[in-house]
Amino acid sequence: MCSMILVGKRALVTGSTSGIGLAIARALKSEGAEVVLSGFGEAEAIAALCAELSARHVPGDLSRREGVEALMAGAGPVDILVNNAGMQHVAPVEEFPVDKWDTIIALNLTAAFDCCRLAIPHMKRAGWGRIVNTASAHSLTASPFKSAYVAAKHGLAGLTKTLALELATHGVTANCISPGYVWTPLVENQIPDTMQARKMTREQVINDILLAKQPTKRFVQPGDVGAMAVFLCREEAANITGANISMDGGWTAE
Ligand code: NAD
C-alpha cells in the first residue's frame, strides 16, 4: 500500500546505511518523505543510496555528542525522527570492556536523547511530529552477556515513554518498535561460521541457535519494520504514543 502520505515531511533515520534503518528509510521514501540518511559505509555505496532515495547523507559518529550535534545541524528541521543506529557486544559483565559499555550506551541510548532534544523544538512549533525508536526484544527482556545492550534498550524504552507524556498535547508521538531477530546481512553472515563451529546444518543453526527464543521460528524482515514505522506516521496512529510495539514472533509473550 502506498498513498504518498508523507509528502512534505522530512525524515531523519539514524543507522540508515544498512539493515533495518535502510528498510525504514526506503519505506518512508516510498510514502513521499524527504529522507536524510546517517551511518557509516563506503563512499560509493552511500552515494548509490543517496541516488536511489533522492536523499542527503549527513556523516557523523553518533557515539560522540559532537557527532550527533553535527548530524542534527546538517539535517535541518525534521518532522520524523527515527533513532535506529545501534551496536552490540557480547561478554560476561566482569569481563565487559568498559570502553564498549560506554560506546553502546552512547550510541544506543544517549544519541537518541540528543537527537530528540534537538529535533523536538521544530516538531512542537509545527504541531506535528513522529519519533520512532528502534528498540529490541531486549528492551523488554534480557539475555546473558548483553548487559550494555539490554541496559541501553531498556533505557530507550523508558525515554520513549517520558517523551510521549511530555509531547502528548503537541501532536507529537513517540514509540518504540521492538524487533526480535531480523534477517539482516549481519545475521546471515554469521551462519556459515556457526555451522562449522557447532557442526550443525544451516537449519539447525537457524532454529536451535538463532531462533531458539522466537516461537514462530521465522525471522522478522527489515521491510516489516519499515511498514510499522510508516504506520506510526499515519494520522490513524496519532493516539499511539508511549507504546513499545513488539515484532518478535512471540519471544516476549513467554
Ligand atoms: P546494522 O549493523 O545492519 O546497522 C547499524 C547502522 O548503524 C549502520 O547504518 C551503521 O553504519 C550505523 N552505525 C553504527 N555505529 C554508528 C556510529 N557510531 N555512528 C553512526 N552510525 C553508526 O544493524 P541492524 O541489524 O540494522 O540494527 C539496527 C537497529 O536495530 C539497532 O539499534 C539494533 O540494536 C536494532 N535491532 C536489530 C535486531 C536484529 O536482529 N538485526 C533486532 C532487534 C533490534
Side-chain angles (χ1 to χ4, degrees):
M1 191 174 64
C2 179
S3 43
M4 300 299 272
I5 54 167
L6 299 178
V7 171
K9 307 290 190 203
R10 180 181 293 153
L12 168 62
V13 185
T14 69
S16 46
T17 49
S18 89
I20 296 168
L22 177 54
I24 293 174
R26 284 184 169 134
L28 295 173
K29 172 67 185 174
S30 75
E31 292 291 349
E34 177 205 336
V35 170
V36 180
L37 299 171
S38 153
F40 299 145
E42 299 289 327
E44 271 182 28
I46 290 174
L49 288 177
C50 288
E52 175 197 331
L53 298 171
S54 315
R56 284 184 295 133
H57 172 263
V58 182
D61 178 353
L62 304 189
S63 68
R64 299 161 56 88
R65 178 156 281 131
E66 311 85 81
V68 180
E69 290 175 347
L71 169 65
M72 297 307 290
V78 297
D79 307 293
I80 298 164
L81 170 65
V82 182
N83 290 300
N84 168 83
M87 60 173 287
Q88 173 67 281
H89 186 79
V90 180
V93 168
E94 69 276 23
E95 293 166 21
F96 211 92
V98 293
D99 60 325
K100 289 281 186 215
W101 171 277
D102 289 346
T103 305
I104 290 172
I105 298 295
L107 179 65
N108 296 18
L109 178 57
T110 307
F113 158 72
D114 279 316
C115 286
C116 290
R117 177 174 66 80
L118 295 167
I120 283 168
H122 165 75
M123 292 180 179
K124 277 187 170 176
R125 272 194 302 274
W128 193 95
R130 293 288 186 268
I131 297 170
V132 178
N133 295 326
T134 308
S136 165
H138 284 115
S139 74
L140 296 161
T141 189
S143 297
F145 314 126
K146 296 183 176 177
S147 54
Y149 187 87
V150 171
K153 294 295 187 180
H154 275 66
L156 186 60
L159 171 66
T160 306
K161 288 196 263 188
T162 309
L163 290 167
L165 296 180
E166 291 189 21
L167 300 170
T169 58
H170 293 275
V172 181
T173 68
N175 294 288
C176 286
I177 302 176
S178 282
Y181 275 104
V182 184
W183 188 251
T184 63
L186 193 125
V187 171
E188 191 175 3
N189 291 341
Q190 59 187 271
I191 292 177
D193 283 349
T194 314
M195 285 169 65
Q196 205 169 13
R198 293 181 177 258
K199 307 265 177 287
M200 284 178 153
T201 65
R202 180 180 167 85
E203 286 65 36
Q204 284 170 323
V205 170
I206 289 175
N207 291 320
D208 301 342
I209 306 294
L210 293 178
L211 294 181
K213 290 190 168 177
Q214 207 146 295
T216 53
K217 302 294 179 203
R218 292 176 60 190
F219 288 97
V220 180
Q221 298 300 319
D224 300 348
V225 184
M228 179 58 74
V230 166
F231 181 76
L232 290 172
C233 294
R234 296 185 69 89
E235 289 314 306
E236 294 93 324
N239 267 305
I240 302 176
T241 194
N244 191 343
I245 299 169
S246 291
M247 298 184 76
D248 63 7
W251 176 346
T252 52
E254 284 190 17

